[in-house]
Amino acid sequence: MGFLEFIKDMFSEPAILMGLVSFVGLVAMRAPGHKVLTGTLGPILGYLMLSAGADVISGNLDPLSLMIEEGFNITGVVPNNEAVTSVAQEVLGVETMTILIVGLVVNLLIARLTRYKYVFLTGHHSFFMACLLSAVLGVMGFEGISLILVGGFFLGAWSAISPAIGQKFTLQVTDGDEVAMGHFGSVGYYLSALVGKWVGKGSPSTEDIEVPEKFGFLRNTTISTALTMVVFYLGSAIAAGPDFVSTLADGQSPYLFAILSGLKFAVGVNIVYAGVRMILADLLPAFQGIADKIIPNAVPAVDCAVFFPYAQTAVIIGFISSFVGGIIGMLILGAVGGVLIIPGLVPHFFCGATSGVYGNSTGGRRGAIVGSFVNGLLLAFLPALLLPVLGDLGFSNATFGDLDFGWIGILLGKVGGQFGTFGIYAIMIIVLVVLFLPSIIKPSKTALNNIEMEEEE
């Protein structure tokens, strides 16, 4: 149990996972010892920096959520991956750990044997998905080895397929940098890019917004983010009232607390950017060793925050638009008598911001605004539809936030509920066809080259 716990922790920690991948790549390239050391530590430290920035952002978004709930008298369910996972872990700990490990192995096998050459490196999201799968499949009668193998298959398969689905959009975002999206909000990002393509013809990029000379300081992303968030925080603090904000401020002046929280949020974003630059500087060259020696043409699938620096203005536009979409989605759910899904600022920031980046890549400013707005609507509707599935499992008033958890949980829950284990095995067969048929019909150039080399020998 202790060994399994260690393995689970290691493979669910993206910093260590990225370091291991970088280490393997550098060793495969036969890099000298000092480069192996620095190239391994670089991605680890970069991701820890990214995580530290994300913690600052999340820590300052929590009081903002509470102020909005109090100030505007909203009660309901706030989608939160960590919260529902912590509840599920009490009864599904071993199953989640083993599905996580099997899923990683399946992902690597798929990358080696098929045209889906994506290695998913966002370990904490793999852990969340393993938890969802263990819960949903368990209630359908899967247990023991069958639960682990089926859950691991779905985890590994989606880890390879989800980056592939939108890689053409990701390449537009990165201007050709060989990285892929490794985050289980992927459907929302790709949909945002599609929406941007539909509505954004002729719209200039968010990064080309012209700022008058006297407002030139707004070109500094950290400054503009800070000013935007201070307005958010102060408005929410005024709505909530000084008495309530004082309960969050730990003795500090309520409005000073609001201002400092907005400024700290901007600092967190800046730390994230610095961590991303450090990750990419060492991970991409090292990953070439894996692509050349172990899994030909392999592409690293990385966390959504890695894409923020490619369109920093779109990050803030996407967050605000997604949040507005979440509020409207909540009002629609209330009007039709559904459970109120209170916009969680953490998913709306990270997923909304990424949707803004993707929408901007295909449709400029209109794409960023409309694409992330659609993402915000879905961040309200899908968690609401997932709630009954999770409620049947005993996790009432708790639901996952990001979109891939929502649609996968709903699909498996509905199919399993209607057709039992037969329905789940049918989905597995469809996924296997999707994975292997393209490789059979049109083998990759690498595979053809290997065949030719064998014939020459």
Side-chain angles (χ1 to χ4, degrees):
M1 183 65 184
F3 177 72
L4 278 177
E5 187 74 25
F6 172 78
I7 294 296
K8 184 269 291 183
D9 288 345
M10 184 171 71
F11 286 127
S12 62
E13 176 52 60
I16 300 300
L17 196 57
M18 287 188 177
L20 286 173
V21 167
S22 186
F23 174 80
V24 170
L26 290 165
V27 170
M29 293 169 66
R30 298 183 180 178
H34 69 281
K35 288 192 175 180
V36 172
L37 177 63
T38 57
T40 301
L41 283 176
I44 293 175
L45 294 173
Y47 198 90
L48 291 176
M49 190 180 296
L50 185 156
S51 297
D55 288 343
V56 173
I57 291 169
S58 300
N60 284 284
L61 284 174
D62 288 340
L64 180 57
S65 296
L66 294 172
M67 287 189 288
I68 290 173
E69 289 178 42
E70 174 69 18
F72 298 98
N73 195 26
I74 302 171
T75 57
V77 176
V78 181
N80 186 286
N81 298 332
E82 289 80 1
V84 68
T85 299
S86 65
V87 174
Q89 276 298 97
E90 295 178 8
V91 291
L92 298 167
V94 174
E95 292 85 348
T96 297
M97 285 190 291
T98 44
I99 287 174
L100 176 69
I101 296 167
V102 172
L104 177 63
V105 173
V106 170
N107 180 200
L108 293 175
L109 287 173
I110 290 171
R112 182 67 179 86
L113 299 174
T114 76
R115 295 174 65 86
Y116 294 86
K117 299 297 183 181
Y118 302 94
V119 179
F120 196 93
L121 298 179
T122 313
H124 65 290
H125 257 230
S126 297
F127 178 61
F128 296 156
M129 185 63 80
C131 182
L132 172 75
L133 291 168
S134 63
V136 174
L137 294 172
V139 83
M140 296 171 197
F142 288 95
E143 58 183 5
I145 296 298
S146 65
L147 172 62
I148 292 165
L149 292 179
V150 173
F153 170 80
F154 280 121
L155 173 59
W158 187 243
S159 296
I161 293 171
S162 65
I165 291 173
Q167 184 61 4
K168 64 177 181 179
F169 296 130
T170 303
L171 289 172
Q172 282 184 254
V173 168
T174 64
D175 290 327
D177 284 353
E178 281 294 324
V179 291
M181 174 55 67
H183 194 266
F184 290 138
S186 62
V187 168
Y189 313 144
Y190 307 151
L191 181 60
S192 179
L194 280 173
V195 170
K197 201 171 181 181
W198 295 332
V199 305
K201 186 176 181 180
S203 179
S205 170
T206 57
E207 309 313 294
D208 295 332
I209 293 176
E210 293 184 10
V211 180
E213 188 174 345
K214 64 180 178 180
F215 297 116
F217 62 91
L218 293 175
R219 293 191 186 95
N220 183 313
T221 305
T222 305
I223 298 294
S224 57
T225 301
L227 290 173
T228 301
M229 296 312 297
V230 164
V231 171
F232 257 81
Y233 277 88
L234 271 177
S236 301
I238 292 169
D243 292 340
F244 178 80
V245 179
S246 294
T247 64
L248 307 173
D250 196 24
Q252 195 173 48
S253 165
Y255 299 120
L256 178 61
F257 167 78
I259 292 170
L260 289 176
S261 295
L263 297 177
K264 288 175 185 176
F265 179 97
V267 170
V269 172
N270 202 41
I271 295 172
V272 166
Y273 289 155
V276 167
R277 286 190 287 269
M278 196 169 183
I279 291 169
L280 294 180
D282 288 307
L283 179 65
L284 294 185
F287 205 86
Q288 192 60 44
I290 291 177
D292 290 341
K293 305 291 184 181
I294 302 171
I295 303 175
N297 302 317
V299 178
V302 294
D303 201 347
C304 66
V306 171
F307 300 91
F308 288 1
Y310 290 102
Q312 296 180 24
T313 304
V315 166
I316 300 304
I317 291 174
F319 165 46
I320 295 171
S321 299
S322 180
F323 183 64
V324 171
I327 291 173
I328 292 175
M330 178 188 68
L331 295 175
I332 293 172
L333 287 170
V336 299
V339 176
L340 286 185
I341 298 296
I342 300 172
L345 289 175
V346 172
H348 276 287
F349 176 72
F350 287 100
C351 298
T354 310
S355 296
V357 172
Y358 272 72
N360 176 67
S361 72
T362 58
R365 298 170 200 174
R366 285 200 300 273
I369 293 169
V370 181
S372 51
F373 176 81
V374 171
N375 176 81
L377 287 175
L378 292 175
L379 283 174
F381 297 146
L382 282 183
L385 294 172
L386 181 61
L387 257 178
V389 177
L390 296 177
D392 292 341
L393 305 175
F395 309 139
S396 58
N397 295 322
T399 184
F400 287 90
D402 302 354
L403 296 188
D404 290 6
F405 300 113
W407 79 260
I408 289 174
I410 293 166
L411 174 66
L412 295 179
K414 296 298 183 183
V415 171
Q418 188 73 28
F419 302 103
T421 56
F422 172 79
I424 301 302
Y425 287 128
I427 295 176
M428 289 181 68
I429 292 171
I430 293 170
V431 172
L432 284 169
V433 170
V434 169
L435 286 170
F436 285 96
L437 190 60
S439 301
I440 295 171
I441 294 174
K442 187 178 179 182
S444 65
K445 291 181 180 179
T446 303
L448 291 172
N449 290 340
N450 289 342
I451 292 171
E452 290 171 1
M453 289 173 63
E454 288 173 4
E455 289 175 349
E456 289 174 4
E457 291 174 359

